[in-house]
Amino acid sequence: MATKKFKTEVTDLLQLIIHSLYSNREIFLRELISNASDAIDKLKYLSLVDGDLKGFEFDPRIDISFTEDGKRTLTIKDNGLGMDEDDLNNNLGTIASSGTKKFLASLTEDQKKDSNLIGQFGVGFYSAFMVSEKIEVISRKAGTDKAYKWTSDGKSSYEIAEAERDSQGTTIILHLNEDGSTFANRYEIESLVKKYSDHIAYPIYLEYDKVNYNYEKKDEKGEPEKTSEHVVEQINTCSALWRRNKSEIKDEEYKEFYKNNYYDSEDPLFYIHTKAEGTNEYVTLFYIPAKAPFDMNYADYRPGVKLYVKRVYITDDDKTLLPSYLRFVRGIIDSEDLPLNVSREILQENRVMASIRNGSVKKLLSEFKKMSENNPELYAKFIEQYNRPLKEGLYSDYANRDTLLELVRYHSSSEPGFTGFKSYKERMKEGQKAIYYITGGKEETLKASPLLAAYKAKGYEVLIMDDDIDEIVISTVGEYDGTPLKAINKAGAMDDLKDGSEKSEENTALIEKLKNALKDKVKDVRISSRLVDTPAVVVNDDNDPSAQMQKILKQMGGESMDIKPILEVNAASPLIKKIEESSDDEYTAKLASVVLSSAYLQEGIMPEDPAAFAKTLSELLSK
Ligand code: ADP
């Protein structure tokens, strides 16, 4: 037997782990199971490729057992590749990974106290010292007939001695310390395996004594008879569904998996299973729920995507795995390249994660787009649920704006249901300069807007943007596929409709008269070239928000902006003619105020002083 000192960096690492990860010490089991699964992966691989172990046969399994009487122990056993004496020295006596070594050396004393930083590298095997006063590792490497036992208290040294083991693999016996003793418990182990290791690809068995009560047979005290039975039970579902080949998975299996894991009784609308290879290797399995998750529009929504690293569960509570506008997506990201102990803070900055996120977003959006082209019926259902978050994406995800522009849908002045920019463009008329839209109210109100008439007359379609976020979002867009987007309820849109036949002389006298009558209630008065039956409309200066938008911003707690509209009047309308002809200032003022209030009403906005409006109106009518 030889006693060896740990390399100093191992002692450092042990101290670091114990201090920074202690509150989360249950992760040790995940680490050990993950190591066991890796060792099985390796042996499986070697049994398939040319070499000494080619054709090696074994039935992969991981076994967990524990003792609860007297000294408590917890044993994790695998039949993977195993380790010989050198391996034990190299793997459990030093820090194997040179990256970890460098990282550790670069940490300042302050950083060493920061558990988030510690999470950046695989703490692995050593984490078991958080719950153990002594650890024994008995291992036999596949293809050899000698076994060795590594023993340490995790302080400064370890011993290696020859040992016995029937076949290849590794047995890790944890002699639990006081804080670790709670882990020698059937329910504790089962729940940790469920939480962290359910999707390990190999079966994990738990060995325990099951107590049975026989209620038919009672003792003198009337207690049911107790018998104990030794059982070995598989405790993981072992169904890393997403790791299997797409072609081998039935539609039913995908759906069952979704329903069992995402608390939904309904089948998903659809799912996307992708294996990415190249610089980064990862698998994603995404589901789109048939109904939008109930908390989709809450700021504190629960994210729906779980992160795994090599089938080991890492987190389901990270809002940065996908951008927030895709928060309705459910599913799994399983990376081959991330470190197991990747923490939340690290995830946000991690390059591998950033590339997985970008790839996932691109994949999701391109699948949505394909669906919009190939399966309009399904897409209609999708849009009914998720149009709004996609519009948020238009605002927040500049890099994918072009694709998102193909996905969002709006009502239209000429089409039933929803339509998109692409089909709008296909329907555009000769000479039409822009994609027209109107914002700032409910669908019915917008569709009834007198502004629409002139566009309808020319055969121009107008998109009805009635979602309250439309105005903010669309104002950041500018154009679609080279064609400008124009709000018809903005002053500037009027020019587009002019075809040169309009009277060119401006009716300055009328404009002055209205301006005087309305004073600071309007920003400007203009003669309209696009109103048919209506005396006037309120529009906004090109860069001003609509009145409806101002109302929303104010409701959201913003300050009142008090931006005045531009009154666009139809000089041919009898009411405006009356104003033009009137020489009574008081009468003119009354007429003008009714014109302005009515223009607001058309937009669904109440006059500031409804009583005064009603009074003026009845005075005018009874005259
Ligand atoms: P990591 O798993 O991140 O490499 P660990 O400290 O957990 O770091 O393990 C160090 C090394 O010890 C592993 O890379 C592996 O080579 C070896 N090892 C650990 N557990 C086992 C096991 N159950 N079977 C075979 N080798 C193992």
Side-chain angles (χ1 to χ4, degrees), residues 296-297 324-325 327 383 385-397 401 404 408-410 421 437-442 446 464-477 545-546 548-553 555-556:
M296 184 171 81
N297 292 325
S324 73
Y325 74 90
R327 59 190 175 270
I383 271 303
Q385 302 294 324
Y386 306 116
N387 205 14
R388 193 191 157 105
L390 292 178
K391 288 173 180 172
E392 288 172 31
L394 213 47
Y395 184 81
S396 61
D397 187 356
R401 177 169 286 179
L404 282 156
V408 293
R409 294 290 183 265
Y410 302 96
F421 288 116
Y437 66 89
I438 181 165
T439 63
K442 293 203 187 80
L446 295 177
I464 308 293
M465 301 206 176
D466 56 335
D467 203 329
D468 56 11
I469 67 165
D470 282 340
E471 187 167 331
I472 304 181
V473 170
I474 209 68
S475 63
T476 66
V477 174
S546 72
Q548 194 75 27
M549 191 70 237
Q550 292 180 51
K551 219 167 93 185
I552 290 170
L553 292 173
Q555 277 165 6
M556 279 162 52

Side-chain angles (χ1 to χ4, degrees), residues 13 31-40 42 76-78 80-83 87-88 90-92 94-97 100 121-127 137 139 169-172 340:
L13 178 61
E31 299 290 326
L32 296 181
I33 291 175
S34 164
N35 280 347
S37 165
D38 284 350
I40 295 173
K42 284 181 198 159
I76 293 103
K77 195 170 123 190
D78 66 70
L81 181 61
M83 290 175 277
D87 292 335
L88 284 169
N90 292 333
N91 297 335
L92 306 184
T94 62
I95 298 175
S97 142
T100 303
F121 55 87
V123 289
F125 170 77
Y126 300 108
S127 62
V137 179
S139 198
T170 302
T171 306
I172 294 178
L340 260 182

Side-chain angles (χ1 to χ4, degrees), residues 354-373:
S355 126
I356 295 177
R357 180 172 36 233
N358 287 340
S360 301
V361 172
K362 288 228 151 49
K363 181 70 191 172
L364 281 162
L365 297 184
S366 78
E367 289 295 323
F368 297 164
K369 193 170 162 213
K370 262 192 227 158
M371 174 179 35
S372 74
E373 290 157 358

Side-chain angles (χ1 to χ4, degrees), residues 171-210:
T171 306
I172 294 178
I173 305 167
L174 308 181
H175 296 265
L176 298 170
N177 61 24
E178 224 172 277
D179 290 338
S181 63
T182 50
F183 295 105
N185 174 286
R186 174 191 163 191
Y187 301 103
E188 185 73 25
I189 297 168
E190 276 181 19
S191 90
L192 289 179
V193 168
K194 273 262 166 292
K195 181 167 172 189
Y196 293 112
S197 314
D198 202 34
H199 300 289
I200 288 288
Y202 308 109
I204 302 171
Y205 295 96
L206 180 63
E207 205 181 316
Y208 62 93
D209 289 318
K210 190 175 186 174

Side-chain angles (χ1 to χ4, degrees), residues 100-119:
T100 303
K101 228 184 252 182
K102 271 192 213 139
F103 177 76
L104 203 56
S106 74
L107 289 184
T108 64
E109 283 311 309
D110 269 357
Q111 285 171 325
K112 285 184 184 171
K113 293 184 191 114
D114 181 352
S115 64
N116 292 321
L117 277 169
I118 304 312

Side-chain angles (χ1 to χ4, degrees), residues 48 77 86 104 258 286 471 569 579:
L48 296 170
K77 195 170 123 190
D86 281 350
L104 203 56
Y258 169 74
F286 292 130
E471 187 167 331
V569 297
I579 293 177

